[in-house]
Amino acid sequence: KPLGMTQSGFSFGQFPSWDKAQGHYIMRFARLTPAPTVDSSSVGAAGAMFSSVKDLRKFGQAVLDHKLLNDSTWKRVMNSKAPFAYGWYMVDDSVSGQHYMGQHGGMHGFMAEYRLVPKDKTIIVVLSNDSGDDLDPVLDKISAILYSKPFEWPKQKQPLPWAEEKLREYKGMYELSESTDLRVYYEQGVLKGIIIGTDPFYMYPMATDRFYVGNVDVTIRFERNDEGKIARMIIKQQGQ
């Protein structure tokens, strides 16, 4: 209350706001599945606080202005040689060249990254309502932009103009696990995939035997046997 953080608390499920975020999982490649609301008390000392970008800016400003820590405690934090001090990660960032203190967190359907740069009182907040997101690349690019370091803009993916005959070569049923199969089929000029009980997703060719899936960070690679026929499928999400 002293900081006016009206969008922060511990019981997100009971937070009375009509426009609060809905958490999601990315499941089955292209389908955003709403995440369940979890009782915050179940995580104990791990936290489970919810907040907003505006509130976290207020909190960060109070920390950097020494409103929450007295000068002697602040000096102990800043002079600590440990990688973790008083609840903060202490990091020398190789991307921006800055020393920052930070924290991160996650809950069903949500991810958060938080960085404070004491030298110039910069505050970086990245929140996502998709628990499958990798926020580090976003943070790295923001840091590079703020401190005039080189970085690369995301490249726009462009599907290759393959003929129908070539796309149909990948049709078939592929086993993902003992209980899950993925069907790949050709329809109206594009290759699609579907798992029973989910929505179909588009598979766009990016190189020989390699495809990407819509706007999510998923790639599919097909491997061939000695006879040159499709033998199996390898799926990677966020490079894993």
Side-chain angles (χ1 to χ4, degrees), residues 149-182:
K149 302 297 182 180
F151 70 96
E152 292 185 5
W153 289 104
K155 296 180 180 179
Q156 182 68 34
K157 295 177 180 177
Q158 294 291 338
L160 298 176
W162 284 6
E164 175 181 343
E165 181 180 357
K166 190 171 183 178
L167 290 173
R168 287 185 179 276
E169 187 178 356
Y170 299 92
K171 288 171 46 182
M173 193 71 72
Y174 299 86
E175 182 179 309
L176 301 183
S177 68
E178 292 183 359
S179 59
T180 307
D181 291 330
L182 169 62

PDB file of all heavy atoms in Angstrom, residues 149-182:
ATOM      1  N   LYS A 149      24.275  -1.884 -27.731  1.00  0.00           N
ATOM      2  CA  LYS A 149      25.082  -3.040 -28.092  1.00  0.00           C
ATOM      3  C   LYS A 149      24.497  -3.693 -29.342  1.00  0.00           C
ATOM      4  O   LYS A 149      23.315  -3.553 -29.639  1.00  0.00           O
ATOM      5  CB  LYS A 149      25.129  -4.044 -26.942  1.00  0.00           C
ATOM      6  CG  LYS A 149      25.669  -3.477 -25.635  1.00  0.00           C
ATOM      7  CD  LYS A 149      27.110  -3.025 -25.765  1.00  0.00           C
ATOM      8  CE  LYS A 149      27.636  -2.504 -24.428  1.00  0.00           C
ATOM      9  NZ  LYS A 149      29.039  -2.056 -24.516  1.00  0.00           N
ATOM     10  N   PRO A 150      25.313  -4.417 -30.110  1.00  0.00           N
ATOM     11  CA  PRO A 150      24.792  -5.055 -31.326  1.00  0.00           C
ATOM     12  C   PRO A 150      23.789  -6.161 -31.004  1.00  0.00           C
ATOM     13  O   PRO A 150      23.909  -6.865 -30.010  1.00  0.00           O
ATOM     14  CB  PRO A 150      26.050  -5.631 -31.988  1.00  0.00           C
ATOM     15  CG  PRO A 150      27.042  -5.772 -30.875  1.00  0.00           C
ATOM     16  CD  PRO A 150      26.757  -4.643 -29.919  1.00  0.00           C
ATOM     17  N   PHE A 151      22.804  -6.283 -31.851  1.00  0.00           N
ATOM     18  CA  PHE A 151      21.808  -7.343 -31.708  1.00  0.00           C
ATOM     19  C   PHE A 151      21.168  -7.585 -33.069  1.00  0.00           C
ATOM     20  O   PHE A 151      21.332  -6.774 -33.993  1.00  0.00           O
ATOM     21  CB  PHE A 151      20.736  -6.962 -30.676  1.00  0.00           C
ATOM     22  CG  PHE A 151      19.824  -5.854 -31.127  1.00  0.00           C
ATOM     23  CD1 PHE A 151      18.592  -6.138 -31.703  1.00  0.00           C
ATOM     24  CD2 PHE A 151      20.207  -4.529 -30.987  1.00  0.00           C
ATOM     25  CE1 PHE A 151      17.765  -5.117 -32.124  1.00  0.00           C
ATOM     26  CE2 PHE A 151      19.390  -3.499 -31.415  1.00  0.00           C
ATOM     27  CZ  PHE A 151      18.164  -3.793 -31.976  1.00  0.00           C
ATOM     28  N   GLU A 152      20.451  -8.668 -33.184  1.00  0.00           N
ATOM     29  CA  GLU A 152      19.791  -9.007 -34.441  1.00  0.00           C
ATOM     30  C   GLU A 152      18.279  -8.991 -34.255  1.00  0.00           C
ATOM     31  O   GLU A 152      17.755  -9.517 -33.276  1.00  0.00           O
ATOM     32  CB  GLU A 152      20.222 -10.391 -34.927  1.00  0.00           C
ATOM     33  CG  GLU A 152      21.669 -10.478 -35.371  1.00  0.00           C
ATOM     34  CD  GLU A 152      21.999 -11.849 -35.948  1.00  0.00           C
ATOM     35  OE1 GLU A 152      21.068 -12.674 -36.074  1.00  0.00           O
ATOM     36  OE2 GLU A 152      23.171 -12.079 -36.282  1.00  0.00           O
ATOM     37  N   TRP A 153      17.604  -8.349 -35.193  1.00  0.00           N
ATOM     38  CA  TRP A 153      16.145  -8.399 -35.181  1.00  0.00           C
ATOM     39  C   TRP A 153      15.696  -9.808 -35.571  1.00  0.00           C
ATOM     40  O   TRP A 153      16.360 -10.481 -36.353  1.00  0.00           O
ATOM     41  CB  TRP A 153      15.562  -7.403 -36.186  1.00  0.00           C
ATOM     42  CG  TRP A 153      15.718  -5.968 -35.796  1.00  0.00           C
ATOM     43  CD1 TRP A 153      16.610  -5.062 -36.306  1.00  0.00           C
ATOM     44  CD2 TRP A 153      14.973  -5.271 -34.796  1.00  0.00           C
ATOM     45  NE1 TRP A 153      16.457  -3.851 -35.692  1.00  0.00           N
ATOM     46  CE2 TRP A 153      15.459  -3.944 -34.761  1.00  0.00           C
ATOM     47  CE3 TRP A 153      13.947  -5.636 -33.935  1.00  0.00           C
ATOM     48  CZ2 TRP A 153      14.949  -2.985 -33.890  1.00  0.00           C
ATOM     49  CZ3 TRP A 153      13.435  -4.679 -33.059  1.00  0.00           C
ATOM     50  CH2 TRP A 153      13.932  -3.374 -33.042  1.00  0.00           C
ATOM     51  N   PRO A 154      14.581 -10.273 -35.012  1.00  0.00           N
ATOM     52  CA  PRO A 154      14.076 -11.598 -35.421  1.00  0.00           C
ATOM     53  C   PRO A 154      13.821 -11.637 -36.923  1.00  0.00           C
ATOM     54  O   PRO A 154      13.325 -10.675 -37.508  1.00  0.00           O
ATOM     55  CB  PRO A 154      12.758 -11.726 -34.637  1.00  0.00           C
ATOM     56  CG  PRO A 154      12.899 -10.787 -33.487  1.00  0.00           C
ATOM     57  CD  PRO A 154      13.741  -9.645 -33.979  1.00  0.00           C
ATOM     58  N   LYS A 155      14.219 -12.710 -37.534  1.00  0.00           N
ATOM     59  CA  LYS A 155      14.041 -12.844 -38.974  1.00  0.00           C
ATOM     60  C   LYS A 155      12.649 -13.396 -39.300  1.00  0.00           C
ATOM     61  O   LYS A 155      12.184 -14.340 -38.679  1.00  0.00           O
ATOM     62  CB  LYS A 155      15.118 -13.769 -39.548  1.00  0.00           C
ATOM     63  CG  LYS A 155      16.524 -13.219 -39.410  1.00  0.00           C
ATOM     64  CD  LYS A 155      17.558 -14.171 -39.985  1.00  0.00           C
ATOM     65  CE  LYS A 155      18.966 -13.613 -39.836  1.00  0.00           C
ATOM     66  NZ  LYS A 155      19.989 -14.540 -40.372  1.00  0.00           N
ATOM     67  N   GLN A 156      12.007 -12.765 -40.263  1.00  0.00           N
ATOM     68  CA  GLN A 156      10.696 -13.213 -40.695  1.00  0.00           C
ATOM     69  C   GLN A 156      10.826 -14.532 -41.454  1.00  0.00           C
ATOM     70  O   GLN A 156      11.610 -14.650 -42.393  1.00  0.00           O
ATOM     71  CB  GLN A 156      10.044 -12.168 -41.608  1.00  0.00           C
ATOM     72  CG  GLN A 156       8.651 -12.520 -42.080  1.00  0.00           C
ATOM     73  CD  GLN A 156       7.632 -12.515 -40.964  1.00  0.00           C
ATOM     74  OE1 GLN A 156       7.741 -11.722 -40.045  1.00  0.00           O
ATOM     75  NE2 GLN A 156       6.663 -13.394 -41.031  1.00  0.00           N
ATOM     76  N   LYS A 157      10.088 -15.526 -41.008  1.00  0.00           N
ATOM     77  CA  LYS A 157      10.147 -16.825 -41.672  1.00  0.00           C
ATOM     78  C   LYS A 157       9.323 -16.784 -42.952  1.00  0.00           C
ATOM     79  O   LYS A 157       8.213 -16.264 -42.972  1.00  0.00           O
ATOM     80  CB  LYS A 157       9.610 -17.920 -40.738  1.00  0.00           C
ATOM     81  CG  LYS A 157      10.449 -18.131 -39.486  1.00  0.00           C
ATOM     82  CD  LYS A 157       9.817 -19.178 -38.592  1.00  0.00           C
ATOM     83  CE  LYS A 157      10.642 -19.391 -37.334  1.00  0.00           C
ATOM     84  NZ  LYS A 157      10.003 -20.362 -36.420  1.00  0.00           N
ATOM     85  N   GLN A 158       9.892 -17.340 -43.995  1.00  0.00           N
ATOM     86  CA  GLN A 158       9.218 -17.411 -45.281  1.00  0.00           C
ATOM     87  C   GLN A 158       9.179 -18.858 -45.755  1.00  0.00           C
ATOM     88  O   GLN A 158      10.224 -19.475 -45.942  1.00  0.00           O
ATOM     89  CB  GLN A 158       9.934 -16.546 -46.319  1.00  0.00           C
ATOM     90  CG  GLN A 158       9.882 -15.049 -46.037  1.00  0.00           C
ATOM     91  CD  GLN A 158       8.491 -14.482 -46.190  1.00  0.00           C
ATOM     92  OE1 GLN A 158       7.630 -15.055 -46.867  1.00  0.00           O
ATOM     93  NE2 GLN A 158       8.247 -13.334 -45.570  1.00  0.00           N
ATOM     94  N   PRO A 159       7.978 -19.424 -45.916  1.00  0.00           N
ATOM     95  CA  PRO A 159       7.899 -20.817 -46.371  1.00  0.00           C
ATOM     96  C   PRO A 159       8.383 -20.965 -47.811  1.00  0.00           C
ATOM     97  O   PRO A 159       8.212 -20.066 -48.634  1.00  0.00           O
ATOM     98  CB  PRO A 159       6.402 -21.131 -46.258  1.00  0.00           C
ATOM     99  CG  PRO A 159       5.715 -19.804 -46.350  1.00  0.00           C
ATOM    100  CD  PRO A 159       6.649 -18.819 -45.696  1.00  0.00           C
ATOM    101  N   LEU A 160       9.019 -22.093 -48.070  1.00  0.00           N
ATOM    102  CA  LEU A 160       9.495 -22.366 -49.419  1.00  0.00           C
ATOM    103  C   LEU A 160       8.321 -22.783 -50.305  1.00  0.00           C
ATOM    104  O   LEU A 160       7.400 -23.468 -49.857  1.00  0.00           O
ATOM    105  CB  LEU A 160      10.536 -23.488 -49.381  1.00  0.00           C
ATOM    106  CG  LEU A 160      11.807 -23.179 -48.583  1.00  0.00           C
ATOM    107  CD1 LEU A 160      12.705 -24.414 -48.556  1.00  0.00           C
ATOM    108  CD2 LEU A 160      12.533 -21.988 -49.156  1.00  0.00           C
ATOM    109  N   PRO A 161       8.347 -22.371 -51.570  1.00  0.00           N
ATOM    110  CA  PRO A 161       7.229 -22.679 -52.490  1.00  0.00           C
ATOM    111  C   PRO A 161       7.334 -24.093 -53.051  1.00  0.00           C
ATOM    112  O   PRO A 161       7.688 -24.291 -54.222  1.00  0.00           O
ATOM    113  CB  PRO A 161       7.395 -21.616 -53.582  1.00  0.00           C
ATOM    114  CG  PRO A 161       8.871 -21.351 -53.616  1.00  0.00           C
ATOM    115  CD  PRO A 161       9.349 -21.493 -52.211  1.00  0.00           C
ATOM    116  N   TRP A 162       7.014 -25.076 -52.236  1.00  0.00           N
ATOM    117  CA  TRP A 162       7.124 -26.453 -52.681  1.00  0.00           C
ATOM    118  C   TRP A 162       5.882 -26.902 -53.444  1.00  0.00           C
ATOM    119  O   TRP A 162       4.759 -26.471 -53.143  1.00  0.00           O
ATOM    120  CB  TRP A 162       7.328 -27.377 -51.472  1.00  0.00           C
ATOM    121  CG  TRP A 162       8.715 -27.320 -50.927  1.00  0.00           C
ATOM    122  CD1 TRP A 162       9.718 -26.494 -51.309  1.00  0.00           C
ATOM    123  CD2 TRP A 162       9.242 -28.132 -49.871  1.00  0.00           C
ATOM    124  NE1 TRP A 162      10.859 -26.732 -50.576  1.00  0.00           N
ATOM    125  CE2 TRP A 162      10.592 -27.725 -49.683  1.00  0.00           C
ATOM    126  CE3 TRP A 162       8.727 -29.144 -49.074  1.00  0.00           C
ATOM    127  CZ2 TRP A 162      11.421 -28.315 -48.725  1.00  0.00           C
ATOM    128  CZ3 TRP A 162       9.542 -29.724 -48.128  1.00  0.00           C
ATOM    129  CH2 TRP A 162      10.877 -29.313 -47.952  1.00  0.00           C
ATOM    130  N   ALA A 163       6.094 -27.818 -54.379  1.00  0.00           N
ATOM    131  CA  ALA A 163       4.992 -28.381 -55.155  1.00  0.00           C
ATOM    132  C   ALA A 163       4.229 -29.403 -54.318  1.00  0.00           C
ATOM    133  O   ALA A 163       4.734 -29.953 -53.334  1.00  0.00           O
ATOM    134  CB  ALA A 163       5.528 -29.041 -56.425  1.00  0.00           C
ATOM    135  N   GLU A 164       2.992 -29.650 -54.730  1.00  0.00           N
ATOM    136  CA  GLU A 164       2.122 -30.583 -53.998  1.00  0.00           C
ATOM    137  C   GLU A 164       2.759 -31.966 -53.881  1.00  0.00           C
ATOM    138  O   GLU A 164       2.705 -32.595 -52.819  1.00  0.00           O
ATOM    139  CB  GLU A 164       0.772 -30.700 -54.714  1.00  0.00           C
ATOM    140  CG  GLU A 164      -0.158 -31.724 -54.095  1.00  0.00           C
ATOM    141  CD  GLU A 164      -1.482 -31.828 -54.850  1.00  0.00           C
ATOM    142  OE1 GLU A 164      -1.805 -30.905 -55.630  1.00  0.00           O
ATOM    143  OE2 GLU A 164      -2.197 -32.830 -54.640  1.00  0.00           O
ATOM    144  N   GLU A 165       3.370 -32.434 -54.946  1.00  0.00           N
ATOM    145  CA  GLU A 165       3.967 -33.774 -54.939  1.00  0.00           C
ATOM    146  C   GLU A 165       5.034 -33.903 -53.851  1.00  0.00           C
ATOM    147  O   GLU A 165       5.125 -34.931 -53.159  1.00  0.00           O
ATOM    148  CB  GLU A 165       4.578 -34.065 -56.309  1.00  0.00           C
ATOM    149  CG  GLU A 165       5.213 -35.441 -56.418  1.00  0.00           C
ATOM    150  CD  GLU A 165       5.810 -35.684 -57.793  1.00  0.00           C
ATOM    151  OE1 GLU A 165       5.677 -34.813 -58.668  1.00  0.00           O
ATOM    152  OE2 GLU A 165       6.413 -36.756 -57.977  1.00  0.00           O
ATOM    153  N   LYS A 166       5.819 -32.849 -53.671  1.00  0.00           N
ATOM    154  CA  LYS A 166       6.875 -32.894 -52.673  1.00  0.00           C
ATOM    155  C   LYS A 166       6.307 -32.852 -51.258  1.00  0.00           C
ATOM    156  O   LYS A 166       6.779 -33.547 -50.350  1.00  0.00           O
ATOM    157  CB  LYS A 166       7.832 -31.718 -52.879  1.00  0.00           C
ATOM    158  CG  LYS A 166       9.095 -31.797 -52.043  1.00  0.00           C
ATOM    159  CD  LYS A 166      10.097 -30.737 -52.454  1.00  0.00           C
ATOM    160  CE  LYS A 166      11.396 -30.877 -51.664  1.00  0.00           C
ATOM    161  NZ  LYS A 166      12.396 -29.873 -52.082  1.00  0.00           N
ATOM    162  N   LEU A 167       5.272 -32.058 -51.036  1.00  0.00           N
ATOM    163  CA  LEU A 167       4.653 -31.975 -49.715  1.00  0.00           C
ATOM    164  C   LEU A 167       3.986 -33.285 -49.329  1.00  0.00           C
ATOM    165  O   LEU A 167       4.051 -33.724 -48.173  1.00  0.00           O
ATOM    166  CB  LEU A 167       3.628 -30.835 -49.687  1.00  0.00           C
ATOM    167  CG  LEU A 167       4.197 -29.409 -49.734  1.00  0.00           C
ATOM    168  CD1 LEU A 167       3.067 -28.399 -49.872  1.00  0.00           C
ATOM    169  CD2 LEU A 167       5.020 -29.117 -48.491  1.00  0.00           C
ATOM    170  N   ARG A 168       3.352 -33.918 -50.290  1.00  0.00           N
ATOM    171  CA  ARG A 168       2.648 -35.180 -50.006  1.00  0.00           C
ATOM    172  C   ARG A 168       3.605 -36.296 -49.581  1.00  0.00           C
ATOM    173  O   ARG A 168       3.187 -37.286 -48.983  1.00  0.00           O
ATOM    174  CB  ARG A 168       1.849 -35.620 -51.239  1.00  0.00           C
ATOM    175  CG  ARG A 168       0.595 -34.786 -51.506  1.00  0.00           C
ATOM    176  CD  ARG A 168      -0.205 -35.350 -52.664  1.00  0.00           C
ATOM    177  NE  ARG A 168      -1.419 -34.592 -52.914  1.00  0.00           N
ATOM    178  CZ  ARG A 168      -2.571 -34.777 -52.270  1.00  0.00           C
ATOM    179  NH1 ARG A 168      -2.654 -35.722 -51.345  1.00  0.00           N
ATOM    180  NH2 ARG A 168      -3.627 -34.061 -52.562  1.00  0.00           N
ATOM    181  N   GLU A 169       4.871 -36.121 -49.841  1.00  0.00           N
ATOM    182  CA  GLU A 169       5.863 -37.131 -49.478  1.00  0.00           C
ATOM    183  C   GLU A 169       5.943 -37.332 -47.958  1.00  0.00           C
ATOM    184  O   GLU A 169       6.349 -38.386 -47.476  1.00  0.00           O
ATOM    185  CB  GLU A 169       7.229 -36.695 -50.026  1.00  0.00           C
ATOM    186  CG  GLU A 169       8.336 -37.720 -49.869  1.00  0.00           C
ATOM    187  CD  GLU A 169       9.635 -37.241 -50.472  1.00  0.00           C
ATOM    188  OE1 GLU A 169       9.658 -36.145 -51.087  1.00  0.00           O
ATOM    189  OE2 GLU A 169      10.646 -37.979 -50.332  1.00  0.00           O
ATOM    190  N   TYR A 170       5.520 -36.313 -47.202  1.00  0.00           N
ATOM    191  CA  TYR A 170       5.646 -36.360 -45.741  1.00  0.00           C
ATOM    192  C   TYR A 170       4.364 -36.839 -45.055  1.00  0.00           C
ATOM    193  O   TYR A 170       4.312 -36.932 -43.823  1.00  0.00           O
ATOM    194  CB  TYR A 170       6.023 -34.977 -45.205  1.00  0.00           C
ATOM    195  CG  TYR A 170       7.343 -34.494 -45.735  1.00  0.00           C
ATOM    196  CD1 TYR A 170       7.402 -33.709 -46.898  1.00  0.00           C
ATOM    197  CD2 TYR A 170       8.542 -34.824 -45.114  1.00  0.00           C
ATOM    198  CE1 TYR A 170       8.614 -33.277 -47.409  1.00  0.00           C
ATOM    199  CE2 TYR A 170       9.762 -34.382 -45.606  1.00  0.00           C
ATOM    200  CZ  TYR A 170       9.787 -33.617 -46.759  1.00  0.00           C
ATOM    201  OH  TYR A 170      10.992 -33.187 -47.261  1.00  0.00           O
ATOM    202  N   LYS A 171       3.349 -37.150 -45.828  1.00  0.00           N
ATOM    203  CA  LYS A 171       2.091 -37.632 -45.249  1.00  0.00           C
ATOM    204  C   LYS A 171       2.321 -38.920 -44.467  1.00  0.00           C
ATOM    205  O   LYS A 171       3.188 -39.723 -44.810  1.00  0.00           O
ATOM    206  CB  LYS A 171       1.074 -37.902 -46.361  1.00  0.00           C
ATOM    207  CG  LYS A 171       0.510 -36.680 -47.027  1.00  0.00           C
ATOM    208  CD  LYS A 171      -0.312 -37.045 -48.251  1.00  0.00           C
ATOM    209  CE  LYS A 171      -1.253 -38.192 -47.988  1.00  0.00           C
ATOM    210  NZ  LYS A 171      -2.032 -38.586 -49.184  1.00  0.00           N
ATOM    211  N   GLY A 172       1.542 -39.090 -43.407  1.00  0.00           N
ATOM    212  CA  GLY A 172       1.640 -40.327 -42.656  1.00  0.00           C
ATOM    213  C   GLY A 172       1.275 -40.160 -41.199  1.00  0.00           C
ATOM    214  O   GLY A 172       0.923 -39.065 -40.747  1.00  0.00           O
ATOM    215  N   MET A 173       1.355 -41.259 -40.449  1.00  0.00           N
ATOM    216  CA  MET A 173       1.085 -41.257 -39.013  1.00  0.00           C
ATOM    217  C   MET A 173       2.411 -41.460 -38.283  1.00  0.00           C
ATOM    218  O   MET A 173       3.147 -42.409 -38.570  1.00  0.00           O
ATOM    219  CB  MET A 173       0.109 -42.382 -38.656  1.00  0.00           C
ATOM    220  CG  MET A 173      -0.465 -42.261 -37.256  1.00  0.00           C
ATOM    221  SD  MET A 173      -1.639 -40.903 -37.087  1.00  0.00           S
ATOM    222  CE  MET A 173      -3.052 -41.564 -37.999  1.00  0.00           C
ATOM    223  N   TYR A 174       2.707 -40.585 -37.339  1.00  0.00           N
ATOM    224  CA  TYR A 174       3.969 -40.625 -36.614  1.00  0.00           C
ATOM    225  C   TYR A 174       3.701 -40.784 -35.119  1.00  0.00           C
ATOM    226  O   TYR A 174       2.845 -40.095 -34.550  1.00  0.00           O
ATOM    227  CB  TYR A 174       4.779 -39.355 -36.869  1.00  0.00           C
ATOM    228  CG  TYR A 174       5.144 -39.158 -38.323  1.00  0.00           C
ATOM    229  CD1 TYR A 174       4.252 -38.522 -39.202  1.00  0.00           C
ATOM    230  CD2 TYR A 174       6.346 -39.614 -38.830  1.00  0.00           C
ATOM    231  CE1 TYR A 174       4.572 -38.352 -40.538  1.00  0.00           C
ATOM    232  CE2 TYR A 174       6.682 -39.441 -40.164  1.00  0.00           C
ATOM    233  CZ  TYR A 174       5.788 -38.809 -41.025  1.00  0.00           C
ATOM    234  OH  TYR A 174       6.106 -38.637 -42.346  1.00  0.00           O
ATOM    235  N   GLU A 175       4.425 -41.681 -34.503  1.00  0.00           N
ATOM    236  CA  GLU A 175       4.228 -41.954 -33.076  1.00  0.00           C
ATOM    237  C   GLU A 175       5.089 -41.015 -32.232  1.00  0.00           C
ATOM    238  O   GLU A 175       6.313 -41.008 -32.329  1.00  0.00           O
ATOM    239  CB  GLU A 175       4.591 -43.402 -32.768  1.00  0.00           C
ATOM    240  CG  GLU A 175       4.373 -43.785 -31.306  1.00  0.00           C
ATOM    241  CD  GLU A 175       4.716 -45.227 -31.024  1.00  0.00           C
ATOM    242  OE1 GLU A 175       4.232 -46.117 -31.756  1.00  0.00           O
ATOM    243  OE2 GLU A 175       5.492 -45.463 -30.083  1.00  0.00           O
ATOM    244  N   LEU A 176       4.429 -40.217 -31.382  1.00  0.00           N
ATOM    245  CA  LEU A 176       5.144 -39.321 -30.481  1.00  0.00           C
ATOM    246  C   LEU A 176       5.419 -39.991 -29.143  1.00  0.00           C
ATOM    247  O   LEU A 176       6.418 -39.713 -28.492  1.00  0.00           O
ATOM    248  CB  LEU A 176       4.326 -38.044 -30.250  1.00  0.00           C
ATOM    249  CG  LEU A 176       3.997 -37.223 -31.504  1.00  0.00           C
ATOM    250  CD1 LEU A 176       3.244 -35.968 -31.106  1.00  0.00           C
ATOM    251  CD2 LEU A 176       5.253 -36.868 -32.290  1.00  0.00           C
ATOM    252  N   SER A 177       4.502 -40.835 -28.732  1.00  0.00           N
ATOM    253  CA  SER A 177       4.657 -41.605 -27.498  1.00  0.00           C
ATOM    254  C   SER A 177       3.774 -42.839 -27.624  1.00  0.00           C
ATOM    255  O   SER A 177       3.107 -43.032 -28.646  1.00  0.00           O
ATOM    256  CB  SER A 177       4.263 -40.775 -26.271  1.00  0.00           C
ATOM    257  OG  SER A 177       2.866 -40.511 -26.277  1.00  0.00           O
ATOM    258  N   GLU A 178       3.754 -43.655 -26.596  1.00  0.00           N
ATOM    259  CA  GLU A 178       2.950 -44.877 -26.649  1.00  0.00           C
ATOM    260  C   GLU A 178       1.462 -44.571 -26.785  1.00  0.00           C
ATOM    261  O   GLU A 178       0.712 -45.385 -27.314  1.00  0.00           O
ATOM    262  CB  GLU A 178       3.187 -45.714 -25.392  1.00  0.00           C
ATOM    263  CG  GLU A 178       4.585 -46.310 -25.307  1.00  0.00           C
ATOM    264  CD  GLU A 178       4.752 -47.196 -24.093  1.00  0.00           C
ATOM    265  OE1 GLU A 178       3.771 -47.320 -23.323  1.00  0.00           O
ATOM    266  OE2 GLU A 178       5.847 -47.763 -23.912  1.00  0.00           O
ATOM    267  N   SER A 179       1.054 -43.404 -26.311  1.00  0.00           N
ATOM    268  CA  SER A 179      -0.375 -43.073 -26.331  1.00  0.00           C
ATOM    269  C   SER A 179      -0.725 -41.909 -27.257  1.00  0.00           C
ATOM    270  O   SER A 179      -1.887 -41.504 -27.332  1.00  0.00           O
ATOM    271  CB  SER A 179      -0.854 -42.736 -24.910  1.00  0.00           C
ATOM    272  OG  SER A 179      -0.117 -41.642 -24.384  1.00  0.00           O
ATOM    273  N   THR A 180       0.269 -41.365 -27.958  1.00  0.00           N
ATOM    274  CA  THR A 180       0.017 -40.181 -28.778  1.00  0.00           C
ATOM    275  C   THR A 180       0.605 -40.335 -30.170  1.00  0.00           C
ATOM    276  O   THR A 180       1.788 -40.618 -30.323  1.00  0.00           O
ATOM    277  CB  THR A 180       0.617 -38.920 -28.119  1.00  0.00           C
ATOM    278  OG1 THR A 180       0.144 -38.802 -26.779  1.00  0.00           O
ATOM    279  CG2 THR A 180       0.215 -37.677 -28.897  1.00  0.00           C
ATOM    280  N   ASP A 181      -0.237 -40.151 -31.175  1.00  0.00           N
ATOM    281  CA  ASP A 181       0.189 -40.185 -32.569  1.00  0.00           C
ATOM    282  C   ASP A 181      -0.081 -38.835 -33.224  1.00  0.00           C
ATOM    283  O   ASP A 181      -1.041 -38.131 -32.895  1.00  0.00           O
ATOM    284  CB  ASP A 181      -0.559 -41.262 -33.346  1.00  0.00           C
ATOM    285  CG  ASP A 181      -0.165 -42.667 -32.913  1.00  0.00           C
ATOM    286  OD1 ASP A 181       0.986 -42.837 -32.494  1.00  0.00           O
ATOM    287  OD2 ASP A 181      -1.013 -43.561 -32.977  1.00  0.00           O
ATOM    288  N   LEU A 182       0.779 -38.474 -34.149  1.00  0.00           N
ATOM    289  CA  LEU A 182       0.620 -37.246 -34.917  1.00  0.00           C
ATOM    290  C   LEU A 182       0.372 -37.609 -36.375  1.00  0.00           C
ATOM    291  O   LEU A 182       1.168 -38.320 -36.987  1.00  0.00           O
ATOM    292  CB  LEU A 182       1.875 -36.371 -34.801  1.00  0.00           C
ATOM    293  CG  LEU A 182       1.981 -35.169 -35.742  1.00  0.00           C
ATOM    294  CD1 LEU A 182       0.862 -34.179 -35.492  1.00  0.00           C
ATOM    295  CD2 LEU A 182       3.331 -34.485 -35.583  1.00  0.00           C
TER     296      LEU A 182
END
